[in-house]
Amino acid sequence: MVQYLANSKFYFEIDGVTSLTLKSISGPEIELEVAGGDAAIGVTKDAKTQTQATIGGVKYNSTIALTYVAGNEGEQKKLSDWYDDCHPDTFSGGGSKAMEGRKTGSLVIYNPDGKEAMRFNFTDLFPGAKKQVGSLSVDSGGQLAEDNIDLYFTQVIRKV
């Protein structure tokens, strides 16, 4: 039996950002919509009910959400700079480096032995929304500040 502990053994890298400590990652999601699988389509000899499940469509979410410890140095700064480069300033507008700012990345899931079990390679990663998660209020003392960034992509290919 194959066992993957995706909740504790994973790694995500983006071009130029290879040591980011992630708290969580979610997405992408692929959902196959089934047509006709929830009701009988007829009955045959000996009162046997027949059903048929057919793929009726595919829902695809091309967003990855990363949650990581906030900071202004190292890998966190690289993500912030990338986001800033790809989005025009809110007040003054102007151009951005959105077209040349697209990157590639990989999500790696490890098996319990620490060996690579699955790899998903992403093309055209682009930073979407970026926000602070949690609170920085006085009564939140002792808690880590976290950031969340949504990444969009045009293609994902599963290797392994």
Side-chain angles (χ1 to χ4, degrees):
M1 177 176 167
V2 178
Q3 180 183 28
Y4 302 117
L5 299 176
N7 63 335
S8 63
K9 299 205 176 218
F10 65 92
Y11 169 69
F12 188 78
E13 70 177 356
I14 304 169
D15 295 335
V17 181
T18 57
S19 299
L20 184 67
T21 301
L22 289 176
K23 180 177 180 181
S24 67
I25 182 171
S26 63
E29 297 173 5
I30 300 171
E31 180 183 342
L32 300 176
E33 297 176 330
V34 178
D38 56 349
I41 60 171
V43 66
T44 64
K45 183 177 178 182
D46 298 326
K48 292 181 182 174
T49 304
Q50 295 294 309
T51 60
Q52 178 178 349
T54 304
I55 300 300
V58 179
K59 286 184 181 177
Y60 187 67
N61 175 8
S62 59
T63 306
I64 302 168
L66 304 179
T67 302
Y68 54 95
V69 176
N72 293 325
E73 64 282 324
E75 304 299 88
Q76 296 96 330
K77 178 136 177 53
K78 289 178 187 177
L79 278 181
S80 289
D81 290 347
W82 178 41
Y83 176 85
D84 292 342
D85 286 346
C86 290
H87 296 277
D89 183 82
T90 306
F91 299 108
S92 61
S96 71
K97 298 178 184 175
M99 293 308 291
E100 64 263 23
R102 296 174 186 266
K103 297 183 179 282
T104 60
S106 295
L107 170 62
V108 178
I109 309 293
Y110 297 100
N111 65 21
D113 295 335
K115 295 189 170 103
E116 188 173 310
M118 288 184 275
R119 174 181 288 267
F120 299 89
N121 292 332
F122 299 92
T123 305
D124 285 336
L125 284 170
F126 185 81
K130 182 179 153 212
K131 63 186 174 201
Q132 179 183 335
V133 179
S135 170
L136 294 179
S137 67
V138 175
D139 62 345
S140 317
Q143 295 180 5
L144 291 173
E146 297 173 350
D147 283 339
N148 181 287
I149 191 166
D150 291 336
L151 305 177
Y152 302 102
F153 59 91
T154 58
Q155 183 181 41
V156 59
I157 297 175
R158 180 177 171 177
K159 304 281 190 182
V160 184

